[in-house]
Amino acid sequence: MAISALPARTLRRWALLLALGLLASAVRPEPAAGAAVEVLFLSPAPATPLFGTIDVAVNVRSDEPVVKVSFKVDGKSAGELKKPPFRVQLDVGQENVEHHIQVVATTLSGATALADRTSPAVVVNEEINVALRTLFVTVSGSDGKRVLDLTRDEFRVLDNGSEQKLVTFERGEVPFNAVLLLDTSESMRGARIAASRAGVHAFLGGMKDVDEASLVLFSDRLLAATPFHNDRKPLEAVLVKTPAEGGTAINDHLYLALKLLDGQVGRGAIVLFSDGTDVQSVLSMQEVLWKERRSQSLIYWLQLNEEGARRTSISSAWRDFAANDREFRDLQRAVIESGGRIEGIDSIAGVEGAFKEILSELREQYVLGFYPSNSRHDGKWHEVQIRIRDRQGLHVRARGGYVDY
Amino acid sequence: MWNEALRKRELAIRSFLTFAIVLAGALGLAGPGAVRADVPQPQDMGGRIDPATFDVPAIQKAYRKILARWATGGRSEAVNDLKTLEMGVVGADGKGREKLWKAELQAVRELEEAQHESLLPVMVLHHESYAAYRDLHNPYLSLHARNLTRSLAEVYAARGATEGAKISAARVLTSLGSYIQEASLTELAAELYARSLELDPVNEVALLGLGALFEKSGRYPPAVTYLTRLLKAHPAQAEGKLRLALSIERDTGVIHGGTTGSGNPVEVKRLLRELISGDSPGWVRNLAYEELGVRYARDGEFEKAEVLLKEGVAKFPNDPRLYIELASILERRGQPGAASRLAEKAGSLPVTHEESARFRYSRWAPEALFAMRASLRETSDARLALLSQALGTGKAAS
């Protein structure tokens, strides 16, 4: 619902909360732990409810060089910077809950200082949805190589045709959380599962310290779902011990992956690796699309299609030919709408390279944030277009829109 | 159109039956061929035959030994010996299959003349050898075993004096059809089921098999016809009721995972509720929860879906899929946090290597089939003494 539509009593309560927060921060300076170093919050403002993508910025005062500044949100690592500006952009999700932000600065001598800030939940009778939209944008030139030198001013974002003001802009190595969603059905036995393991190994090996991944292995059922982790060893151990067996249920597990990313801070991506078509899911892709349109995660689909074999229509116990074809098209649509892409792999020799390429793409994206000027929270689809000023021949890929809810 | 095709196949089956009987008769008139001096004679290898050395009488001799072994309860040995004999005679190129067909059919005809009931254990043997041949990837052997089993079943039913003979023949054809259905040879399986129902109109597995076959190939009107017949004859058939519920819906234009139409949602939901509240097998009840939840959600009855799926989760607390489905419903109801907790719960459940209920539904393995095969084997075992008698190796059986 729009903020302007909230009851006056609720608004008064917000105002009171905000005033109390500001007062608290005025009478109590930002925490300073340690004599030689002090961390001060620049953003977010105290006592401010947090939703969606937020900026966390701190100032570090120290009489010796600062070697790193680590950020944690709700107990989970959210990034680490080695030089100023000490500012990260995070997605805290859309749920109306309290968030706890911790920032630790470490100096050359090993002295540390901690600053923490807890944002309150909004006390209202109904949940509200913050409208900040974040776009993960991949730009490539006519030669296919990614273009990384664009500035904020060169981007134009159109929401249902009307130009939007960018409030956040990042490029390059923004931390991410990835769900590696791997089809481990019987058809993946042998060389295919080995190639899958090699691809996952390459992906995890290329992650930075601030990135995290979860492995979700599925066939007709869920075979494993690990917590998000930066350490690749426990993740790979799960992959090695899970046998390839059973049928294929992509929809149910793609929905699960989207939900698991909801609970993560920061950029989310799903890498689906499968050689088949969904046959056993209870959720239709329409239901997954519903979710995808309310998510900000990217979906990549590594579609193993050896020898370039053409996909044939199938009829199954759960769906007839037409329904299965529709499911397939809707999966393609979910991937494209999310701003990810479908990578057809015609040989298992190409699997590892495909995983690496997606990792590389995630490293070379722009992150743009805007508050839609025409938001009505009416559940309608907003088409988003991104244009680059004064440059020709660039290919831009990002989420194609969102549901204004 | 499909029914028309089935009628044509029934005619083809009848022609085939006539051919088999005529061939058997012709072979009977011709009698066993003389042993040719220039053809190497089979070496007796403890009941087995050296495939390099055979002619029709030699094949028959080895075949009778195998039947004798079968009659005395050497089940797996007999199936193995039959495989060795038939593989050797047919060869990788299939050139010997006509000779094998003649030899075996002639031997069987003699048995049938001596004791009609001895045919039942013989056809059960060939039916089991068909099952054993499926992994050999020799199409000639599979074809031989399948055709011989069918022919024997037809002869047994046609010449049997009792309804029991028809029922047993129908069971053999249905079991054969089930093996073929597993191999996704849909039309041939449908043909066998249809013939089986001519012999035994209430054969549970054949009715279910036809319903499942038509359902899997997206032909919902005939699926509904056969599943309705099934439920009329076997009202407690839970798998059949589930397939009927889903096929009724698709028959009327509502396709799972697709657009909605008018359908008959009241009847579909009624059948699914019956399955939940009845004493259906666990996997069927599990699916009934999932599918009824889907239908409530599709019709905008999210509150009902939530209540139902919470009950389902309580009944099947280790099934991640019910948690995922419930999460999707809660999210639709504006509870993303609760949905996330369910998703996390789904991910933390102990992993099972048992097939899921949805996978179970996708493949053809009904409990009724295994019960029918066990019963068929029992009926056949009761006639093994008659087979021994017909072979001249056992005492007269009453």
Side-chain angles (χ1 to χ4, degrees):
Chain A
M1 71 186 292
I3 290 176
S4 59
L6 286 169
R9 187 174 157 214
T10 305
L11 288 172
R12 277 199 301 275
R13 192 171 291 177
W14 284 10
L16 181 63
L17 281 169
L18 189 63
L20 285 171
L22 288 170
L23 187 61
S25 70
V27 296
R28 185 166 57 84
E30 293 301 325
V37 57
E38 182 180 33
V39 180
L40 298 165
F41 267 106
L42 298 174
S43 74
T48 307
L50 300 176
F51 295 91
T53 305
I54 61 163
D55 279 315
V56 179
V58 294
N59 215 349
V60 181
R61 292 179 189 158
S62 171
D63 52 6
E64 61 178 355
V66 175
V67 291
K68 66 174 179 183
V69 174
S70 309
F71 296 79
K72 270 190 176 179
V73 175
D74 298 330
K76 291 176 183 168
S77 170
E80 189 176 283
L81 299 171
K82 295 196 165 97
K83 57 184 180 182
F86 298 119
R87 175 172 170 268
V88 293
Q89 190 179 54
L90 310 162
D91 185 348
V92 294
Q94 296 295 334
E95 199 168 356
N96 181 22
V97 292
E98 214 177 70
H99 292 289
H100 188 61
I101 303 169
Q102 282 183 312
V103 183
V104 178
T106 307
T107 65
L108 191 60
S109 67
T112 60
L114 165 79
D116 62 356
R117 174 158 288 174
T118 300
S119 73
V122 178
V123 185
V124 286
N125 295 329
E126 299 177 45
E127 288 188 22
I128 65 157
N129 298 289
V130 168
L132 181 73
R133 302 301 311 179
T134 306
L135 299 168
F136 308 118
V137 187
T138 305
V139 184
S140 46
S142 53
D143 57 358
K145 288 185 179 162
R146 280 185 283 277
V147 175
L148 301 168
D149 62 344
L150 295 169
T151 61
R152 177 197 289 243
D153 294 340
E154 287 177 282
F155 281 94
R156 286 181 69 208
V157 173
L158 304 175
D159 181 329
N160 274 349
S162 64
E163 185 151 357
Q164 305 296 308
K165 182 186 169 193
L166 290 184
V167 294
T168 58
F169 177 83
E170 291 285 333
R171 86 183 135 200
E173 302 198 351
V174 181
F176 66 78
N177 298 293
V179 175
L180 303 180
L181 181 59
L182 307 176
D183 177 351
T184 321
S185 61
E186 192 162 346
S187 62
M188 294 293 289
R189 272 189 188 167
R192 291 179 175 189
I193 195 82
S196 169
R197 284 174 187 150
V200 169
H201 180 79
F203 189 95
L204 297 176
M207 287 191 341
K208 305 284 183 193
D209 289 347
V210 290
D211 302 328
E212 292 196 335
S214 159
L215 278 189
V216 175
L217 311 182
F218 70 94
S219 59
D220 56 281
R221 57 193 182 276
L222 182 62
L223 295 172
T226 72
F228 284 87
H229 226 292
N230 181 258
D231 183 357
R232 73 187 195 195
K233 283 182 186 162
L235 298 175
E236 287 180 347
V238 169
L239 185 56
V240 168
K241 75 177 184 191
T242 305
E245 58 188 14
T248 308
I250 294 174
N251 303 356
D252 292 347
H253 300 103
L254 181 54
Y255 174 82
L256 177 67
L258 287 164
K259 277 310 294 174
L260 293 175
L261 281 169
D262 271 358
Q264 297 303 305
V265 174
R267 191 162 50 130
I270 294 169
V271 183
L272 165 65
F273 179 59
S274 173
D275 68 337
T277 303
D278 185 288
V279 232
Q280 269 108 13
S281 283
V282 67
L283 298 183
S284 68
M285 263 312 296
Q286 276 297 319
E287 286 159 293
V288 183
L289 263 172
W290 185 94
K291 171 65 191 159
E292 179 274 318
R293 288 168 176 168
R294 286 154 181 82
S295 158
Q296 306 212 43
S297 297
L298 296 155
I299 304 172
Y300 292 90
W301 180 10
L302 300 181
Q303 189 187 11
L304 184 58
N305 195 11
E306 284 175 275
E307 312 300 335
R310 287 187 59 189
R311 177 185 172 272
T312 52
S313 286
I314 56 160
S315 177
S316 62
W318 290 106
R319 297 186 192 93
D320 65 7
F321 292 99
N324 273 316
D325 286 349
R326 193 165 43 244
E327 291 296 300
F328 188 80
R329 286 196 303 272
D330 284 345
L331 173 58
Q332 290 178 315
R333 184 186 300 172
V335 173
I336 301 302
E337 275 186 10
S338 78
R341 62 186 165 85
I342 301 167
E343 178 73 39
I345 304 173
D346 58 11
S347 153
I348 54 169
V351 173
E352 187 176 337
F355 271 94
K356 282 182 180 167
E357 176 55 23
I358 286 175
L359 181 67
S360 158
E361 181 172 319
L362 289 171
R363 294 245 161 277
E364 296 172 347
Q365 282 179 333
Y366 296 87
V367 183
L368 315 180
F370 67 101
Y371 288 101
S373 58
N374 49 3
S375 178
R376 290 186 176 82
H377 303 292
D378 53 5
K380 289 193 175 158
W381 177 251
H382 281 226
E383 187 179 309
V384 173
Q385 291 175 301
I386 299 172
R387 294 185 184 151
I388 311 292
R389 296 177 210 270
D390 305 326
R391 290 233 204 165
Q392 301 297 316
L394 297 185
H395 175 68
V396 180
R397 177 159 43 78
R399 175 170 285 278
Y402 64 93
V403 172
D404 185 15
Y405 67 106
Chain B
M1 194 171 167
W2 178 256
N3 290 336
E4 176 63 23
L6 266 186
R7 272 197 293 279
K8 281 183 184 168
R9 278 186 200 100
E10 279 167 26
L11 282 175
I13 291 168
R14 290 201 177 108
S15 307
F16 175 81
L17 167 64
T18 309
F19 169 75
I21 293 170
V22 168
L23 179 61
L27 286 167
L29 284 174
V35 175
R36 282 166 49 190
D38 56 339
V39 174
Q41 294 308 293
Q43 304 299 308
D44 192 335
M45 298 161 59
R48 296 180 185 192
I49 189 169
D50 178 356
T53 60
F54 56 81
D55 64 3
V56 168
I59 296 166
Q60 286 177 339
K61 188 179 167 191
Y63 181 55
R64 283 171 163 275
K65 277 191 175 177
I66 291 165
L67 293 180
R69 181 160 292 186
W70 177 254
T72 52
R75 190 177 289 278
S76 57
E77 295 89 342
V79 172
N80 277 336
D81 288 351
L82 187 63
K83 184 168 78 179
T84 307
L85 172 68
E86 293 190 335
M87 278 173 74
V89 176
V90 166
D93 57 2
K95 281 185 180 167
R97 62 196 158 128
E98 201 174 319
K99 189 184 287 183
L100 180 69
W101 175 264
K102 280 181 186 173
E104 290 183 348
L105 208 56
Q106 188 175 333
V108 170
R109 186 185 176 283
E110 287 165 14
L111 291 175
E112 199 265 335
E113 278 181 357
Q115 174 48 263
H116 172 75
E117 284 300 318
S118 68
L119 276 190
L120 179 57
V122 176
M123 73 174 144
V124 169
L125 166 65
H126 283 284
H127 145 272
E128 291 196 8
S129 77
Y130 174 76
Y133 289 163
R134 289 177 307 161
D135 298 330
L136 290 181
H137 305 297
N138 181 330
Y140 305 115
L141 279 180
S142 302
L143 188 66
H144 171 79
R146 198 169 76 202
N147 286 346
L148 192 57
T149 307
R150 283 175 70 171
S151 301
L152 295 180
E154 295 292 1
V155 172
Y156 183 67
R159 299 200 187 164
T162 63
E163 277 304 299
K166 284 186 181 172
I167 289 172
S168 292
R171 286 178 174 176
V172 169
L173 292 175
T174 300
S175 177
L176 193 61
S178 287
Y179 285 130
I180 290 164
Q181 183 171 355
E182 282 170 30
S184 299
L185 297 169
T186 310
E187 296 194 3
L188 181 57
E191 210 177 276
L192 286 164
Y193 290 144
R195 176 61 187 143
S196 169
L197 289 175
E198 285 178 350
L199 298 170
D200 174 12
V202 295
N203 185 298
E204 184 181 354
V205 180
L207 288 167
L208 181 61
L210 277 169
L213 269 180
F214 286 119
E215 179 197 31
K216 192 170 183 177
S217 52
R219 294 157 171 151
Y220 302 118
V224 170
T225 302
Y226 284 109
L227 292 167
T228 304
R229 260 178 75 181
L230 169 70
L231 269 290
K232 201 172 170 187
H234 305 275
Q237 232 300 333
E239 179 179 341
K241 191 178 281 186
L242 178 58
R243 290 187 189 277
L244 177 61
L246 303 187
S247 295
I248 284 175
E249 183 175 63
R250 294 151 173 169
D251 184 14
T252 47
V254 183
I255 298 167
H256 176 75
T259 53
T260 57
S262 58
N264 189 349
V266 176
E267 175 64 0
V268 173
K269 287 176 186 168
R270 184 188 71 76
L271 289 169
L272 292 172
R273 270 194 300 266
E274 273 183 17
L275 287 168
I276 287 170
S277 59
D279 57 354
S280 323
W283 72 273
V284 173
R285 256 187 310 139
N286 190 329
L287 289 179
Y289 274 111
E290 289 175 10
E291 291 301 307
L292 188 53
V294 165
R295 272 135 200 92
Y296 281 146
R298 191 197 56 209
D299 296 343
E301 299 174 294
F302 291 112
E303 192 177 341
K304 278 188 178 177
E306 181 182 337
V307 171
L308 176 87
L309 291 170
K310 282 182 173 168
E311 184 186 307
V313 162
K315 292 263 167 62
F316 299 96
N318 290 320
D319 178 14
R321 183 164 272 118
L322 280 168
Y323 290 86
I324 291 171
E325 190 181 358
L326 179 56
S328 154
I329 298 293
L330 290 182
E331 188 147 36
R332 290 270 185 154
R333 300 201 73 201
Q335 302 171 44
S340 289
R341 286 190 287 280
L342 281 169
E344 279 167 19
K345 174 75 179 168
S348 67
L349 290 173
V351 172
T352 170
H353 290 287
E354 282 175 27
E355 64 185 7
S356 66
R358 299 188 82 75
F359 187 70
R360 170 79 180 71
Y361 186 87
S362 300
R363 68 185 188 88
W364 174 242
E367 286 92 348
L369 169 63
F370 303 115
M372 186 198 75
R373 280 183 180 150
S375 168
L376 178 63
R377 203 167 286 147
E378 226 171 76
T379 315
S380 165
D381 286 351
R383 285 156 178 78
L384 287 176
L386 295 174
L387 175 58
S388 288
Q389 184 192 340
L391 286 164
T393 57
K395 293 175 185 171
S398 57

